[in-house]
Amino acid sequence: MRWFWIDRYVEFVRATRAVGVKCLSLGGEQFDKYFHYYPVMPPSLIIEGIAQTGGLVVGEALAFACSVVLAKVSKAVFHRLAFPGQTLRYEIEVQDIGNQGASVHGKSYVLIPRLDAEPETELQAEVELLFAFVDEAEDRPKEIFHPPDLVRWLRSLGVWDIGVDEQGQPLQLPERLRLAELDAAGPPLPNSPSA
Amino acid sequence: MPTRDEIFEKIKEALVEALGVDDEDVTREATLVGDLGAESIDFLDIIFRLEKAFNFEIDRSELFPEEVLTSPKYVQDGKVTEEGLAELKKRMPFANLAKFEENPRVQEFGKALTVNDICGYVESKVQVES
């Protein structure tokens, strides 16, 4: 099982807010292992999804120069369960970004499919999270992700398709990550246009 | 301009939210680590909440001067030296370090900080109505 708990961003504003979606499929391994005969999305993984939605916004604000790790779940209130066939919509607002960490508030909405009608949307959970910044001084790896893998993940989530900065301008891939991605791709093929 | 009581109430609210403790647990004499169960990551949470409550930026090193507590200049055999204690007092004039001085082991420092010390820090940063 891959540790991806959002499928795509539909909104991403630098250092401010984001909306990510997670489609719940009965094929997801988590449904087999949580309550065996009652497939329900584990709340801990909903928290993880909200953390990924917010943590990447915080990381982008820092040009992914240090690792942003979930340090504390300050508050978590769950209003209802979420089931396969439904979609979770995670809306996060960045509260603070400091020198050593950041705080984010998130809400999870569940979109319940209906025949011949728009999905019904219900508030599913409210979460407050605290992130810590991990750097070399703490004797830990500076980067949790191999940079090309991080870029691939962020591209898959649509960060550079829909992401904007505080002025509404499209986000740019940081130069360090762009070079890492190029490096990982290897030399161009002999007959390619860029060869 | 807030009164000392108003400052205490705001700090109490921040600590209740950050540490999940009851209102009545947060007395001026309560120690953050020993009595209220704060862990190291909670201090970051507390700082964010205090910044929002009082609308000024907090330098973590002013409240928790880790560079003093980790410097070989000020710490020997796990204990803060006389010079280190003097440095702590200089940096933290708002804190009552008398109890810590009795057993100045670095690991005891977090346990020494009280709610009243946090009040003192905030009072040193905002104008207080007398």
Side-chain angles (χ1 to χ4, degrees), chain B residues 45-89:
Chain B
D45 197 359
I46 292 166
I47 284 174
F48 278 143
R49 289 177 194 277
L50 293 180
E51 284 181 337
K52 194 166 281 183
F54 295 103
N55 201 28
F56 69 87
E57 275 195 32
I58 296 175
D59 181 346
R60 184 181 160 121
S61 67
E62 288 181 344
L63 261 180
F64 315 106
E66 283 164 321
E67 69 272 27
V68 174
L69 298 168
T70 54
S71 166
K73 185 179 171 192
Y74 298 124
V75 177
Q76 281 170 11
D77 299 327
K79 280 191 171 185
V80 180
T81 61
E82 286 296 320
E83 196 182 353
L85 285 169
E87 184 67 19
L88 285 175
K89 284 182 192 170

Short mmCIF file of all heavy atoms in Angstrom, two decimals, chain B residues 45-89:
data_model
loop_
_atom_site.label_atom_id
_atom_site.label_comp_id
_atom_site.label_asym_id
_atom_site.label_seq_id
_atom_site.Cartn_x
_atom_site.Cartn_y
_atom_site.Cartn_z
N ASP B 45 3.23 24.76 20.09
CA ASP B 45 1.78 25.00 20.06
C ASP B 45 1.44 26.18 20.96
O ASP B 45 0.68 27.09 20.58
CB ASP B 45 1.07 23.72 20.54
CG ASP B 45 -0.41 23.70 20.17
OD1 ASP B 45 -0.89 24.68 19.57
OD2 ASP B 45 -1.08 22.70 20.50
N ILE B 46 2.01 26.19 22.17
CA ILE B 46 1.74 27.26 23.13
C ILE B 46 2.18 28.61 22.54
O ILE B 46 1.46 29.62 22.63
CB ILE B 46 2.44 26.98 24.47
CG1 ILE B 46 1.80 25.77 25.15
CG2 ILE B 46 2.41 28.20 25.38
CD1 ILE B 46 2.61 25.20 26.31
N ILE B 47 3.35 28.62 21.93
CA ILE B 47 3.87 29.87 21.36
C ILE B 47 2.92 30.39 20.27
O ILE B 47 2.57 31.58 20.25
CB ILE B 47 5.30 29.66 20.80
CG1 ILE B 47 6.29 29.61 21.97
CG2 ILE B 47 5.68 30.78 19.82
CD1 ILE B 47 7.70 29.27 21.57
N PHE B 48 2.48 29.52 19.38
CA PHE B 48 1.55 29.95 18.32
C PHE B 48 0.28 30.55 18.93
O PHE B 48 -0.23 31.57 18.48
CB PHE B 48 1.17 28.77 17.44
CG PHE B 48 2.18 28.46 16.36
CD1 PHE B 48 2.44 27.15 16.01
CD2 PHE B 48 2.87 29.46 15.70
CE1 PHE B 48 3.37 26.84 15.01
CE2 PHE B 48 3.80 29.16 14.71
CZ PHE B 48 4.04 27.85 14.37
N ARG B 49 -0.22 29.91 19.97
CA ARG B 49 -1.47 30.38 20.57
C ARG B 49 -1.27 31.71 21.31
O ARG B 49 -2.13 32.59 21.28
CB ARG B 49 -2.04 29.31 21.51
CG ARG B 49 -2.57 28.11 20.77
CD ARG B 49 -3.07 27.02 21.69
NE ARG B 49 -3.25 25.76 20.99
CZ ARG B 49 -4.33 25.43 20.28
NH1 ARG B 49 -5.34 26.27 20.20
NH2 ARG B 49 -4.41 24.27 19.65
N LEU B 50 -0.12 31.86 21.96
CA LEU B 50 0.16 33.12 22.65
C LEU B 50 0.35 34.25 21.64
O LEU B 50 -0.11 35.38 21.86
CB LEU B 50 1.40 32.99 23.53
CG LEU B 50 1.29 32.05 24.74
CD1 LEU B 50 2.61 32.02 25.52
CD2 LEU B 50 0.15 32.48 25.67
N GLU B 51 1.03 33.95 20.54
CA GLU B 51 1.23 34.98 19.51
C GLU B 51 -0.12 35.48 18.99
O GLU B 51 -0.31 36.68 18.79
CB GLU B 51 2.06 34.41 18.34
CG GLU B 51 3.53 34.29 18.67
CD GLU B 51 4.35 33.74 17.51
OE1 GLU B 51 3.79 33.07 16.62
OE2 GLU B 51 5.57 33.96 17.50
N LYS B 52 -1.02 34.54 18.80
CA LYS B 52 -2.34 34.93 18.29
C LYS B 52 -3.14 35.69 19.35
O LYS B 52 -3.79 36.69 19.06
CB LYS B 52 -3.10 33.66 17.87
CG LYS B 52 -4.30 33.94 17.03
CD LYS B 52 -4.82 32.70 16.36
CE LYS B 52 -4.01 32.34 15.13
NZ LYS B 52 -4.51 31.19 14.40
N ALA B 53 -3.03 35.24 20.60
CA ALA B 53 -3.81 35.87 21.67
C ALA B 53 -3.33 37.29 21.96
O ALA B 53 -4.13 38.17 22.27
CB ALA B 53 -3.72 35.02 22.94
N PHE B 54 -2.01 37.51 21.86
CA PHE B 54 -1.47 38.82 22.26
C PHE B 54 -0.94 39.64 21.09
O PHE B 54 -0.48 40.77 21.27
CB PHE B 54 -0.37 38.63 23.31
CG PHE B 54 -0.91 38.05 24.60
CD1 PHE B 54 -0.71 36.71 24.91
CD2 PHE B 54 -1.62 38.84 25.48
CE1 PHE B 54 -1.21 36.17 26.08
CE2 PHE B 54 -2.13 38.31 26.66
CZ PHE B 54 -1.93 36.97 26.95
N ASN B 55 -0.96 39.03 19.90
CA ASN B 55 -0.60 39.76 18.69
C ASN B 55 0.84 40.31 18.71
O ASN B 55 1.06 41.48 18.39
CB ASN B 55 -1.61 40.89 18.45
CG ASN B 55 -1.60 41.35 17.01
OD1 ASN B 55 -1.27 40.58 16.12
ND2 ASN B 55 -1.91 42.61 16.79
N PHE B 56 1.77 39.51 19.16
CA PHE B 56 3.19 39.86 18.97
C PHE B 56 3.97 38.58 18.72
O PHE B 56 3.52 37.49 19.08
CB PHE B 56 3.75 40.65 20.16
CG PHE B 56 3.90 39.86 21.44
CD1 PHE B 56 5.04 39.11 21.71
CD2 PHE B 56 2.88 39.88 22.41
CE1 PHE B 56 5.16 38.40 22.89
CE2 PHE B 56 3.00 39.17 23.58
CZ PHE B 56 4.14 38.43 23.83
N GLU B 57 5.12 38.74 18.07
CA GLU B 57 5.91 37.55 17.73
C GLU B 57 6.77 37.13 18.91
O GLU B 57 7.35 37.96 19.61
CB GLU B 57 6.80 37.85 16.53
CG GLU B 57 6.07 37.63 15.22
CD GLU B 57 7.00 37.54 14.03
OE1 GLU B 57 8.13 37.05 14.20
OE2 GLU B 57 6.58 37.99 12.96
N ILE B 58 6.83 35.84 19.12
CA ILE B 58 7.61 35.31 20.24
C ILE B 58 8.82 34.58 19.69
O ILE B 58 8.69 33.70 18.84
CB ILE B 58 6.75 34.35 21.09
CG1 ILE B 58 5.59 35.11 21.73
CG2 ILE B 58 7.61 33.66 22.15
CD1 ILE B 58 4.61 34.23 22.50
N ASP B 59 9.98 34.97 20.18
CA ASP B 59 11.21 34.25 19.84
C ASP B 59 11.32 33.10 20.84
O ASP B 59 11.45 33.33 22.05
CB ASP B 59 12.41 35.22 19.96
CG ASP B 59 13.71 34.53 19.59
OD1 ASP B 59 13.74 33.28 19.52
OD2 ASP B 59 14.70 35.25 19.40
N ARG B 60 11.25 31.88 20.34
CA ARG B 60 11.24 30.72 21.24
C ARG B 60 12.43 30.72 22.20
O ARG B 60 12.32 30.30 23.34
CB ARG B 60 11.26 29.44 20.38
CG ARG B 60 11.15 28.17 21.19
CD ARG B 60 11.20 26.96 20.27
NE ARG B 60 11.56 25.77 21.01
CZ ARG B 60 10.81 24.67 21.10
NH1 ARG B 60 9.67 24.61 20.50
NH2 ARG B 60 11.22 23.63 21.79
N SER B 61 13.56 31.25 21.73
CA SER B 61 14.76 31.21 22.58
C SER B 61 14.62 32.14 23.79
O SER B 61 15.36 32.02 24.77
CB SER B 61 16.00 31.58 21.77
OG SER B 61 15.93 32.93 21.36
N GLU B 62 13.69 33.10 23.72
CA GLU B 62 13.48 33.97 24.89
C GLU B 62 12.77 33.21 26.01
O GLU B 62 13.06 33.39 27.19
CB GLU B 62 12.65 35.20 24.50
CG GLU B 62 13.42 36.20 23.66
CD GLU B 62 12.56 37.41 23.32
OE1 GLU B 62 11.32 37.35 23.45
OE2 GLU B 62 13.15 38.41 22.91
N LEU B 63 11.83 32.38 25.60
CA LEU B 63 11.06 31.61 26.59
C LEU B 63 11.80 30.33 27.00
O LEU B 63 11.74 29.90 28.15
CB LEU B 63 9.70 31.23 26.01
CG LEU B 63 8.51 32.09 26.40
CD1 LEU B 63 7.26 31.57 25.73
CD2 LEU B 63 8.30 32.11 27.90
N PHE B 64 12.48 29.72 26.04
CA PHE B 64 13.17 28.46 26.30
C PHE B 64 14.59 28.56 25.74
O PHE B 64 14.84 28.15 24.60
CB PHE B 64 12.42 27.30 25.64
CG PHE B 64 10.94 27.36 25.86
CD1 PHE B 64 10.09 27.75 24.84
CD2 PHE B 64 10.40 27.07 27.11
CE1 PHE B 64 8.72 27.83 25.04
CE2 PHE B 64 9.04 27.15 27.31
CZ PHE B 64 8.20 27.53 26.28
N PRO B 65 15.52 29.14 26.48
CA PRO B 65 16.85 29.42 25.93
C PRO B 65 17.70 28.15 25.78
O PRO B 65 18.63 27.88 26.56
CB PRO B 65 17.46 30.39 26.94
CG PRO B 65 16.75 30.12 28.21
CD PRO B 65 15.39 29.58 27.86
N GLU B 66 17.37 27.38 24.76
CA GLU B 66 18.02 26.09 24.58
C GLU B 66 19.51 26.21 24.33
O GLU B 66 20.28 25.33 24.70
CB GLU B 66 17.36 25.35 23.40
CG GLU B 66 16.02 24.75 23.78
CD GLU B 66 15.18 24.37 22.58
OE1 GLU B 66 15.17 25.12 21.58
OE2 GLU B 66 14.51 23.33 22.65
N GLU B 67 19.92 27.33 23.70
CA GLU B 67 21.36 27.44 23.39
C GLU B 67 22.19 27.56 24.67
O GLU B 67 23.35 27.14 24.71
CB GLU B 67 21.65 28.57 22.41
CG GLU B 67 21.45 29.98 22.93
CD GLU B 67 20.02 30.46 22.73
OE1 GLU B 67 19.10 29.62 22.70
OE2 GLU B 67 19.83 31.68 22.68
N VAL B 68 21.58 28.10 25.73
CA VAL B 68 22.30 28.15 27.02
C VAL B 68 22.35 26.73 27.61
O VAL B 68 23.40 26.28 28.10
CB VAL B 68 21.59 29.11 28.01
CG1 VAL B 68 22.24 29.04 29.39
CG2 VAL B 68 21.62 30.53 27.48
N LEU B 69 21.24 26.05 27.52
CA LEU B 69 21.13 24.74 28.16
C LEU B 69 21.89 23.64 27.42
O LEU B 69 22.03 22.53 27.92
CB LEU B 69 19.65 24.35 28.28
CG LEU B 69 18.82 25.31 29.14
CD1 LEU B 69 17.34 25.04 28.97
CD2 LEU B 69 19.20 25.18 30.61
N THR B 70 22.36 23.95 26.21
CA THR B 70 23.11 22.94 25.45
C THR B 70 24.56 23.36 25.24
O THR B 70 25.32 22.64 24.59
CB THR B 70 22.46 22.70 24.07
OG1 THR B 70 22.33 23.96 23.41
CG2 THR B 70 21.09 22.06 24.20
N SER B 71 24.94 24.52 25.78
CA SER B 71 26.30 25.01 25.54
C SER B 71 27.28 24.46 26.58
O SER B 71 27.04 24.54 27.79
CB SER B 71 26.30 26.54 25.62
OG SER B 71 27.63 27.01 25.72
N PRO B 72 28.40 23.91 26.12
CA PRO B 72 29.43 23.44 27.07
C PRO B 72 29.98 24.58 27.92
O PRO B 72 30.52 24.35 29.00
CB PRO B 72 30.51 22.83 26.17
CG PRO B 72 30.18 23.20 24.78
CD PRO B 72 28.77 23.69 24.73
N LYS B 73 29.78 25.79 27.43
CA LYS B 73 30.23 26.96 28.20
C LYS B 73 29.42 27.10 29.50
O LYS B 73 29.93 27.57 30.52
CB LYS B 73 30.06 28.21 27.33
CG LYS B 73 30.60 29.49 27.94
CD LYS B 73 30.40 30.64 26.96
CE LYS B 73 30.73 31.97 27.64
NZ LYS B 73 30.28 33.11 26.85
N TYR B 74 28.15 26.72 29.42
CA TYR B 74 27.25 26.93 30.56
C TYR B 74 26.82 25.65 31.27
O TYR B 74 26.15 25.72 32.30
CB TYR B 74 26.01 27.68 30.10
CG TYR B 74 26.29 29.06 29.53
CD1 TYR B 74 25.87 29.41 28.25
CD2 TYR B 74 26.97 30.02 30.29
CE1 TYR B 74 26.12 30.66 27.73
CE2 TYR B 74 27.23 31.28 29.78
CZ TYR B 74 26.81 31.59 28.49
OH TYR B 74 27.06 32.84 27.98
N VAL B 75 27.14 24.51 30.67
CA VAL B 75 26.69 23.24 31.25
C VAL B 75 27.88 22.30 31.44
O VAL B 75 28.67 22.11 30.52
CB VAL B 75 25.64 22.56 30.33
CG1 VAL B 75 25.22 21.20 30.90
CG2 VAL B 75 24.42 23.44 30.14
N GLN B 76 27.98 21.76 32.65
CA GLN B 76 29.02 20.77 32.91
C GLN B 76 28.41 19.59 33.67
O GLN B 76 27.67 19.80 34.63
CB GLN B 76 30.17 21.39 33.72
CG GLN B 76 31.10 22.22 32.84
CD GLN B 76 32.09 23.03 33.63
OE1 GLN B 76 32.24 22.83 34.84
NE2 GLN B 76 32.76 23.94 32.97
N ASP B 77 28.71 18.40 33.20
CA ASP B 77 28.18 17.17 33.82
C ASP B 77 26.65 17.21 33.96
O ASP B 77 26.10 16.76 34.97
CB ASP B 77 28.81 16.94 35.20
CG ASP B 77 30.32 16.78 35.08
OD1 ASP B 77 30.77 16.24 34.05
OD2 ASP B 77 31.03 17.22 36.01
N GLY B 78 26.01 17.77 32.95
CA GLY B 78 24.54 17.79 32.96
C GLY B 78 23.95 18.85 33.87
O GLY B 78 22.73 18.93 34.01
N LYS B 79 24.80 19.68 34.48
CA LYS B 79 24.29 20.72 35.37
C LYS B 79 24.66 22.11 34.84
O LYS B 79 25.75 22.30 34.30
CB LYS B 79 24.90 20.58 36.77
CG LYS B 79 24.24 19.51 37.62
CD LYS B 79 24.73 19.62 39.05
CE LYS B 79 23.92 18.71 39.95
NZ LYS B 79 24.27 18.86 41.36
N VAL B 80 23.75 23.03 35.00
CA VAL B 80 24.03 24.41 34.59
C VAL B 80 24.98 25.04 35.61
O VAL B 80 24.76 24.94 36.83
CB VAL B 80 22.71 25.22 34.50
CG1 VAL B 80 23.00 26.66 34.08
CG2 VAL B 80 21.75 24.57 33.51
N THR B 81 26.04 25.64 35.11
CA THR B 81 27.06 26.24 35.99
C THR B 81 26.56 27.58 36.56
O THR B 81 25.51 28.09 36.14
CB THR B 81 28.35 26.50 35.20
OG1 THR B 81 28.02 27.42 34.14
CG2 THR B 81 28.91 25.20 34.60
N GLU B 82 27.34 28.12 37.48
CA GLU B 82 27.00 29.45 38.04
C GLU B 82 26.89 30.48 36.92
O GLU B 82 25.98 31.30 36.91
CB GLU B 82 28.10 29.88 39.03
CG GLU B 82 28.06 29.14 40.36
CD GLU B 82 26.77 29.43 41.13
OE1 GLU B 82 26.32 30.59 41.12
OE2 GLU B 82 26.22 28.49 41.72
N GLU B 83 27.85 30.39 35.99
CA GLU B 83 27.84 31.32 34.86
C GLU B 83 26.58 31.12 34.01
O GLU B 83 25.95 32.07 33.55
CB GLU B 83 29.09 31.09 34.00
CG GLU B 83 29.40 32.21 33.04
CD GLU B 83 30.61 31.90 32.17
OE1 GLU B 83 31.29 30.88 32.41
OE2 GLU B 83 30.87 32.68 31.25
N GLY B 84 26.21 29.85 33.84
CA GLY B 84 25.00 29.52 33.07
C GLY B 84 23.76 30.05 33.76
O GLY B 84 22.85 30.57 33.11
N LEU B 85 23.70 29.89 35.08
CA LEU B 85 22.54 30.39 35.83
C LEU B 85 22.43 31.91 35.69
O LEU B 85 21.33 32.46 35.53
CB LEU B 85 22.66 30.00 37.31
CG LEU B 85 22.37 28.52 37.61
CD1 LEU B 85 22.79 28.19 39.04
CD2 LEU B 85 20.89 28.20 37.40
N ALA B 86 23.57 32.57 35.74
CA ALA B 86 23.58 34.02 35.59
C ALA B 86 23.05 34.40 34.20
O ALA B 86 22.28 35.36 34.06
CB ALA B 86 24.99 34.57 35.80
N GLU B 87 23.47 33.64 33.20
CA GLU B 87 23.01 33.91 31.82
C GLU B 87 21.50 33.68 31.71
O GLU B 87 20.79 34.46 31.07
CB GLU B 87 23.78 33.01 30.85
CG GLU B 87 23.48 33.25 29.38
CD GLU B 87 23.94 34.61 28.87
OE1 GLU B 87 24.81 35.24 29.52
OE2 GLU B 87 23.39 35.06 27.84
N LEU B 88 21.03 32.60 32.32
CA LEU B 88 19.58 32.32 32.28
C LEU B 88 18.79 33.45 32.93
O LEU B 88 17.76 33.88 32.42
CB LEU B 88 19.27 31.00 32.99
CG LEU B 88 19.62 29.71 32.23
CD1 LEU B 88 19.36 28.49 33.11
CD2 LEU B 88 18.82 29.59 30.94
N LYS B 89 19.29 33.91 34.07
CA LYS B 89 18.58 34.99 34.78
C LYS B 89 18.56 36.27 33.95
O LYS B 89 17.58 37.02 33.96
CB LYS B 89 19.25 35.27 36.12
CG LYS B 89 18.94 34.21 37.17
CD LYS B 89 19.61 34.60 38.47
CE LYS B 89 19.58 33.45 39.45
NZ LYS B 89 20.43 33.71 40.63
#
